[in-house]
Amino acid sequence: MAPSSSPLRSTSEGDEKYANVKWEELGFALTPTDYMYVAKCRRGESFSQGKILPYGDISISPCSPILNYGQGLFEGLKAYRTEDDRIMIFRPDQNALRMQAGAERLCMTSPSLELFVDAVKQTVLANKKWVPPPGKGSLYIRPLLIGSGDTLGVAPAPENTFLIYASPVGDYHKVSSGLNLKVDHKHHRAHSGGTGGVKSCTNYSPVVKSLFEAKSSGFSDVLFLDAATGRNIEELSACNIFIVKGNIVSTPPTSGTILPGVTRKSISELARDIGYQVQERDVSVDELLEAEEVFCTGTAVVVTAVETVTFHDKKVKYRTGEAALSRKLRSMLTNIQMGIVEDKKGWMVEIDRCQGW
């Protein structure tokens, strides 16, 4: 893609620094930006460099596998603006690797790690003025890999489309002290041998009913139990969960039914750095109810404390606020992401160049 013909030029030179957005009012809702990235490849071929196009609707066949059979994956990651006006992305290589694992599970062709990261960079550069000011939010980046092309029967997609769009966002949950969770003992998010361990599009629509009902009853989110025994906690509708008791931090293992979250992995490492013992193991709902502290992690929620959990007719309250480990871990993570402290982990990738620019 030659620089003279790239729409990246129009957003990185000569335009206003920021889009016309009320940054203080940002929540986790779509604010359409200017551009998106699109690449396609036929089955049996490899992805080559895609294009930055104006953000808008896409054309797709009615008999495409994504529409008929849910053959698709998505990712989520964020870009941040630092005080010295650098734009940084958090661990995009981990999202690329997770998409590759999901693509293998769904018989899809995925972009290479290098192409994925470069495409994310291009998308952020094209939408640079939509990256919020420091401390006002982040640019949420949504890569999609969908089965496109024409096919009537259940089979690998004849074509795969890799698409990335972005939106400035604020907090996912608007809560003062912490989340109020309801344990769903009737419905399950995933089962052994299914797709719970990859970020398949099909994982999310089945949780909507439970989530809607919980929110209608005043809860923040739903916590699901394992399908095999109904005794162990797994994850929320769209994020991982941790419990704290003493010096031990425990989180359910990514053994096929739980998504290996990038934030989950990062927070586990940070907790170990400050002396906590982190265990990845089965965590029973009974242990959850006896924990001192509970928190959840994810790209959207970052690190968010859980204030209460309700299981049947039992409601338990947990430690939150300044004394909570979740508050410390959130601060440690966001300070790295926003460039407030030195990134000694090598987690942040600066948007300074990309192949398509």
Side-chain angles (χ1 to χ4, degrees):
M1 190 186 304
S4 60
S5 62
S6 173
L8 292 180
R9 180 71 66 181
S10 66
T11 60
S12 60
E13 294 185 12
D15 285 358
E16 66 272 25
K17 181 175 179 179
Y18 290 115
N20 183 22
V21 174
K22 295 180 179 178
W23 304 109
E24 291 77 9
E25 298 177 10
L26 278 179
F28 200 87
L30 178 67
T31 300
T33 55
D34 296 319
Y35 297 103
M36 62 185 185
Y37 176 98
V38 180
K40 295 178 182 288
C41 82
R42 300 295 299 177
R43 176 164 171 75
E45 300 177 357
S46 299
F47 276 102
S48 56
Q49 191 63 248
K51 296 180 179 179
I52 291 290
L53 301 172
Y55 174 83
D57 295 345
I58 61 172
S59 176
I60 192 166
S61 168
C63 59
S64 62
I66 181 62
L67 295 181
N68 289 264
Y69 307 117
Q71 190 180 36
L73 301 156
F74 73 90
E75 282 295 327
L77 62 161
K78 287 178 177 177
Y80 304 83
R81 191 184 298 267
T82 65
E83 290 290 349
D84 58 359
D85 208 35
R86 292 176 298 149
I87 295 179
M88 313 291 289
I89 308 172
F90 181 66
R91 308 192 76 174
D93 60 315
Q94 297 299 303
N95 297 91
L97 293 172
R98 190 167 66 180
M99 177 169 277
Q100 289 179 358
E104 193 280 330
R105 175 66 177 84
L106 299 187
C107 288
M108 304 180 74
T109 302
S110 65
S112 68
L113 187 153
E114 293 76 18
L115 191 148
F116 181 102
V117 173
D118 191 69
V120 168
K121 286 184 176 183
Q122 289 190 52
T123 307
V124 175
L125 267 177
N127 296 295
K128 186 176 181 179
K129 67 182 181 181
W130 296 92
V131 181
K136 301 292 185 181
S138 57
L139 185 71
Y140 184 84
I141 306 154
R142 172 55 62 82
L144 288 165
L145 181 65
I146 60 175
S148 49
D150 300 333
T151 184
L152 186 60
V154 178
E159 175 189 78
N160 291 290
T161 298
F162 178 50
L163 185 152
I164 307 176
Y165 65 91
S167 172
V169 297
D171 291 333
Y172 187 78
H173 289 288
K174 297 288 186 181
V175 292
S176 56
S177 56
L179 304 180
N180 299 306
L181 303 185
K182 176 185 178 182
V183 178
D184 189 335
H185 60 281
K186 296 180 179 178
H187 305 99
H188 299 286
R189 176 190 167 274
H191 60 85
S192 179
T195 59
V198 300
K199 207 164 177 65
S200 169
C201 298
T202 55
N203 293 347
Y204 294 86
S205 56
V207 309
V208 172
K209 179 178 174 63
S210 295
L211 182 60
F212 178 78
E213 291 176 350
K215 287 190 172 184
S216 298
S217 299
F219 295 98
S220 308
D221 210 328
V222 176
L223 174 60
F224 293 93
L225 302 176
D226 73 297
T229 71
R231 294 194 299 265
N232 298 321
I233 63 173
E234 291 213 320
E235 61 179 270
L236 281 67
S237 61
C239 57
N240 297 120
I241 190 166
F242 289 76
I243 70 167
V244 183
K245 194 163 186 179
N247 197 50
I248 300 175
V249 180
S250 303
T251 188
T254 55
S255 54
T257 58
I258 296 172
L259 188 72
V262 177
T263 308
R264 172 189 181 276
K265 180 179 181 179
S266 306
I267 286 299
S268 294
E269 186 170 333
L270 292 175
R272 291 187 181 100
D273 288 347
I274 58 175
Y276 282 83
Q277 180 183 347
V278 179
Q279 300 178 345
E280 296 190 12
R281 60 176 180 83
D282 289 339
V283 178
S284 70
V285 70
D286 292 333
E287 289 181 89
L288 168 73
L289 298 176
E290 295 172 358
E292 298 165 3
E293 181 181 342
V294 178
F295 61 87
C296 57
T297 64
T299 298
V301 302
V302 192
V303 182
T304 301
V306 173
E307 183 174 17
T308 69
V309 164
T310 299
F311 181 52
H312 295 297
D313 57 353
K314 184 173 183 178
K315 184 175 183 179
V316 177
K317 189 170 184 178
Y318 303 99
R319 179 177 63 217
T320 59
E322 293 295 334
L325 174 62
S326 61
R327 180 73 64 90
K328 182 176 181 63
L329 291 173
R330 182 185 178 101
S331 178
M332 291 173 67
L333 180 64
T334 56
N335 283 346
I336 293 172
Q337 292 171 330
M338 294 186 291
I340 296 172
V341 301
E342 181 184 355
D343 173 24
K344 296 180 180 180
K345 302 287 188 182
W347 287 347
M348 305 306 296
V349 175
E350 185 170 358
I351 303 295
D352 55 354
R353 63 182 179 83
C354 57
Q355 294 174 15
W357 171 239

